[in-house]
Structure formats: C-alpha cells, structure tokens
Amino acid sequence: GVFNRAGIKYHLITGYLNEEYVWNEIREWVEADSVMKVMKNTRVGVMGHYYNGMLDVYSDLTKLATAFGNHFELIEFGSLKSLRKKVSSEKINDEIERFKEWFSVSEECAPVDLEQAALSSVALDNLAENYRLGALAYYYEGAGDPDYERIVTTLIPGMTMLTGRNIPVAGEYEIKNVLAMKIMDAFNCGGSFSEFYALDFNENIILLGHDGPAHYKIADGKVGLVPLEVFHGKPGKGLSIQMKVANGPVTLLSVCQTADGNVTLLTAQGLSVEGPTLQIGNTNSRYKFPIPAREFIDNWSKAGPSHHCAIGIGHISLKISKLAELFNIGFQSIC
C-alpha cells in the first residue's frame, strides 16, 4: 500500500523458501534484468535507408532509444565500401574456409560469389568492430552504381555469421525488429528474422520465414548456403541462406509502436513442427499455436506489429513480460 501511494515500482513473489516456483521467478527476474543491461549497452548500427513503402517498418529512433536505453549509430554505406577495399586475399581465403565450417555450402555456389561474399564478410566484421556494434539494421539498393549494387548482393553470409556471434542483423532497415532479435539473443534463444509466408487452414499451420540473415544457432541441422538467380524483393542475385528452425517450443517477439508512439512488446508461444517447407533459399519453418491459425493471425495483426518478428527457441513470454516491466513499457501476449 505504501509503495502504491508513493509511486514506487515493485514486484511480488509469493511462496516459500524451498518452492520451485519461487526460484523460477527469481531466476526469470534476474535473467530479465541482465537482458535489460545488455539492451542498455547495445550500439545498434543503422545503415542505408528504409524499404520504399514499408510504412509499418518505419521507426522513431528517439522513442526506441528512450525505451531501451540503447545508442543508435547512423552509418554510411560508403563506410562498408571503404572497408572492403582494405581486405587482403589471405583474409578472403580464410573467410571462405570459415564459410565451410559454419554452412553446408552448395556445390552450385560459384567461386566468384564465394569470394565476393567472403570479402564482404570480413569487411562487416571490421565494421562491427569499428563501431562496437551489438546489432545492425540495413537496407540498400545502390541503383545506378555498379560498386554498390555488387556489395548489396554479397552481404547475407557475413551478416548471418554476425547474427550467430550475438550481433543480430535485420534486413529491410527493420530497426524495431533488430531490437526484438537482440532481446531474444540476449535471452540465449536465438532470434531469427521472420515474416508470415502462408497459412494451412486444414492443419492450422502457419509458415514463417524470410530471406537474408538467419540465426544458425536455432537451425535444424547445418545452415545451407545456396545460390539464388534472383533475390526475393531485392535487386540482384547471389548467395543466400536456407534453413529450418529446429522442432520444439518457440516464442515470437515483436517490438511495436502504438499510434501515440509508445513502445510495447508483443509475444506468442507455439511449436516449430515437422512438415514440408518452401525450398527457396530462405529460412522456412512450420508453426502451430494453441489457437486456430485464423484466430492467431487476426489477434496478432490487431496488436499492431510490423510484418516482421523475431523467432527464438523455448517458451519465454513470462521472461519477456518481466523485461517489459523493468523497462516500464507495454506488453501483450497473444497465446
């Protein structure tokens, strides 16, 4: 009562000393607090520009920085171009060997594509180090400039490797979603860039996936590195990531902004399940939720997220709700 009248925030855990529930609650609060510290100390790189017309993706950096306490570093794409020029042949060869360790490299990948992707991967590592990045959102087309067009088609492997090293990367300049990915990564649950692909109303299955960088730590087996003749929704062609999220419990997370600009966290819990997926050089997985697919899509959409979300393994909505309380921002769970 005193806390309420004094306006002092508090959290209650009711139970007894040797009760499992009590210690689970304590662990979740401690973990949420550690994730809050990670977010407050994260430097998020923002490189390029928005995807034209994706109004749901557009973000208010001031509101987001106020909510999470992080720093946004606005980076020119020319910085990456400059770093690429400094990469040695030896570094490129070493990076190709790393590709073979991290990925299941398709025999169809052309040597020149592997070299260019390795060159960009080394440059991305240096970019992240130079700016001390903990996350990166990017998009660029480079229309009319062959140098930039060449660069933007070679980024996916290196950005996937950054994501796997706890520096999540979101394409399409999805700043809100890279924050969601960073939260999931800080909870050690992955956090792969995703959007809704298709609905199976007969089996109540929802397919989610995305092209571009993926989180290899939550993959079912080794992540594939495959060539694409045409990138999906982006200019050019090159190497892409193909993977499926491992079967089992998953949590979806979206960082949302309301009409009045307030920041909220939106979650849903479900399962990654077996079944056919689209083999199109993307991340693709099948998900089942405790509510029918139609109801899920209605409820999720009405909550107002962008069309992207971050997917992590495990059911962690309760942890995320505690994180929202610590940040004093909104929280909603669909299921």
Side-chain angles (χ1 to χ4, degrees):
V2 173
F3 285 168
N4 290 347
R5 290 164 65 188
I8 297 172
K9 284 193 66 175
Y10 59 90
H11 310 287
L12 292 176
I13 302 174
T14 304
Y16 53 91
L17 188 60
N18 295 322
E19 188 180 14
E20 184 178 354
Y21 164 81
V22 168
W23 289 106
N24 282 339
E25 283 289 296
I26 291 171
R27 275 190 292 269
E28 288 188 353
W29 278 113
V30 170
E31 196 170 341
D33 189 67
S34 69
V35 171
M36 181 174 70
K37 183 177 180 181
V38 168
M39 296 302 291
K40 285 186 173 183
N41 287 281
T42 293
R43 295 169 58 88
V44 179
V46 180
M47 184 170 67
H49 58 78
Y50 286 112
Y51 196 115
N52 191 32
M54 281 190 181
L55 303 184
D56 59 319
V57 169
Y58 298 174
S59 304
D60 183 334
L61 299 192
T62 302
K63 283 281 189 179
L64 292 170
T66 301
F68 295 109
N70 67 286
H71 168 74
F72 287 107
E73 185 73 21
L74 306 186
I75 303 172
E76 294 286 347
F77 226 90
S79 299
L80 181 61
K81 180 180 178 181
S82 177
L83 288 169
R84 282 179 102 250
K85 293 178 180 178
K86 301 174 183 177
V87 177
S88 67
S89 298
E90 183 182 0
K91 288 285 187 182
I92 292 173
N93 292 332
D94 289 345
E95 197 70 0
I96 291 173
E97 292 304 311
R98 281 214 305 162
F99 282 179
K100 293 175 182 177
E101 293 174 12
W102 280 54
F103 306 124
S104 177
V105 180
S106 169
E107 294 180 357
E108 297 177 359
C109 293
V112 64
D113 287 341
L114 285 170
E115 289 172 6
Q116 287 298 308
L119 170 57
S120 289
S121 184
V122 175
L124 284 166
D125 284 350
N126 293 334
L127 184 84
E129 183 178 354
N130 290 351
Y131 289 102
R132 295 180 288 120
L133 299 182
L136 174 65
Y138 84 102
Y139 182 73
Y140 205 63
E141 295 183 357
D145 188 320
D147 288 340
Y148 281 116
E149 288 179 352
R150 190 178 303 112
I151 293 170
V152 298
T153 61
T154 62
L155 300 177
I156 292 174
M159 288 181 165
T160 297
M161 294 176 76
L162 280 180
T163 299
R165 296 195 346 257
N166 309 110
I167 305 173
V169 181
E172 297 176 6
Y173 214 69
E174 239 293 19
I175 298 163
K176 294 193 296 291
N177 203 52
V178 85
L179 292 169
M181 294 165 69
K182 186 65 179 182
I183 289 170
M184 298 299 274
D185 185 81
F187 275 119
N188 199 30
C189 295
S192 211
F193 192 65
S194 295
E195 68 184 11
F196 296 94
Y197 269 12
L199 301 176
D200 183 335
F201 289 104
N202 294 325
E203 296 187 25
N204 274 313
I205 295 292
I206 301 176
L207 274 72
L208 289 102
H210 210 281
D211 69 322
H215 207 305
Y216 85 99
K217 289 183 179 178
I218 65 173
D220 179 19
K222 210 168 187 179
V223 172
L225 186 62
V226 300
L228 287 183
E229 287 302 313
V230 179
F231 279 134
H232 306 146
K234 300 169 183 60
K237 64 177 184 176
L239 302 185
S240 188
I241 294 299
Q242 187 162 281
M243 67 165 261
K244 177 184 180 297
V245 173
N247 290 345
V250 295
T251 300
L252 276 58
L253 172 63
S254 181
V255 172
C256 310
Q257 282 196 273
T258 62
D260 57 7
N262 290 331
V263 177
T264 66
L265 300 181
L266 173 67
T267 68
Q269 295 184 157
L271 295 171
S272 171
V273 297
E274 278 291 351
T277 57
L278 303 170
Q279 301 299 300
I280 56 174
N282 286 186
T283 299
N284 268 269
S285 297
R286 298 166 64 86
Y287 300 96
K288 196 171 186 67
F289 296 93
I291 57 178
R294 192 192 313 273
E295 183 181 344
F296 177 92
I297 291 295
D298 284 351
N299 293 346
W300 182 268
S301 300
K302 289 175 182 177
S306 72
H307 64 281
H308 299 122
C309 64
I311 295 183
I313 54 174
H315 285 165
I316 65 163
S317 280
L318 288 176
K319 294 180 182 180
I320 295 172
S321 71
K322 291 176 171 62
L323 180 66
E325 283 199 54
L326 292 174
F327 275 124
N328 198 28
I329 60 177
F331 172 81
Q332 182 180 355
S333 181
I334 298 301
C335 56

